[in-house]
Amino acid sequence: MGLCKILVMKKNIVCKAAAFFALLSVAASSFAQVSGKIDNTDFKIKFNGRVNLDLGSFLGAEDGKPNRNGISANDCRLGVIADFDSVWQAKLEVSHSAGKISFKDVYVKRSFTSTGSEVQFGNFFFPFGYKRAGLGYKFVDTSVADATFSPWRKLGIAYQSFSNKFNWGVGFFSDGDVDNGKKVNQGYSLNAYALARPVFSDGNVLHFTASGIITHPSASVTFSSPMPLMFTSFPLVKTNALDAYNYGRLEIAALGIVRRFYAEARFLKSWVNLPNERVEKSDDGDKVTKQDNYDGAYGFYVQASWRILGEMQNYNKKTGLAGNPTGRALEVLARFDRTDLDQFGAANNLTLGVNYFFNKYLRVRVNYVHAAIKDGADIDALCSRVQFSF
């Protein structure tokens, strides 16, 4: 009976996913060519999407360690982008992942061409960390340090300014998720960043970034450091739930590109302001203990890649991130990162990879990951991703 239930559940998930994407496909085919003028205004609409097929295997896994292998059609997306009046843009992006349907980018943006700036409102990433790279991920997944400290998309409003030499921005965001709008206390975050670009010409780039977030959380705070493999949620190290008044995150980063060579380094730090006393209730009476603020969590990583075949490294001036090539290319890469959660443990990770780009729509990534946990066993894994995007 147990096996039958599992098969029925999987069948239901597959059927729902198939119906979902069939509906989106019909919408895409119906509206993909919409472009023109409506009420004497320029109005253009286009569709974008992607499908990730992930396969991975832990090497030498034993009882009590992660499963030996896994496969998933991870993070399949379809979105629509509308541009109108030359200065307005709206985007809606929906994802199907782990049997669930969720919103990703949902925003409206107004650009000011005279000042090179924009105002954006909705659910989106604010510049902090590498999670927002999306299709531009150099590896199968983001680093452990970045996954631990960087926020996901949040609902809010932000102002950003861009130039060849400088980017900067400020934002105000809810600490809740767009899919959990019924929650009364959603908390909030204040964000700011600045980017200086002393070199930006002839395929050469050098920039430095500082970003900060102050958050009044909607619930207790937990820092979790997942293994950098999308087919598993296995945590390497993890804190207890921290009942924070507020907490802050800081990032300092540098990126350099010399034609085919790319290198990037990021340092991330967090501190949590806790109540001076903690009350634990029991049948024998309340127990009051003093507690200090938690400020020992940090992480960093360095990553580099070399294009053996194909064009020079791509770079996006607005996001401050490296991008994928538009044609056929072969790339080798390496990353080292460390996450230290103080008394809760630490983990070092080494990732080696090869990326092959058939064209701007289809790419294959293969990674070897070695994770070393403080006071724990080492973990080795191989993983790959076939990604189609348009």
Side-chain angles (χ1 to χ4, degrees), residues 22 139 209:
F139 298 82
T209 308

Side-chain angles (χ1 to χ4, degrees), residues 29-91:
S29 62
S30 301
F31 294 103
Q33 302 302 319
V34 173
S35 178
K37 290 186 176 182
I38 298 178
D39 296 333
N40 296 320
T41 62
D42 292 330
F43 182 85
K44 294 182 179 180
I45 186 169
K46 64 179 180 179
F47 283 81
N48 70 309
R50 76 177 189 226
V51 176
N52 294 336
L53 300 176
D54 292 347
L55 172 66
S57 177
F58 287 93
L59 308 178
E62 300 172 357
D63 292 341
K65 294 183 182 180
N67 293 330
R68 295 188 65 88
N69 53 65
I71 187 170
S72 65
N74 175 65
D75 199 7
C76 304
R77 301 189 189 187
L78 187 62
V80 59
I81 302 173
D83 294 283
F84 47 98
D85 288 351
S86 302
V87 294
W88 288 94
Q89 183 182 90
K91 182 177 181 181

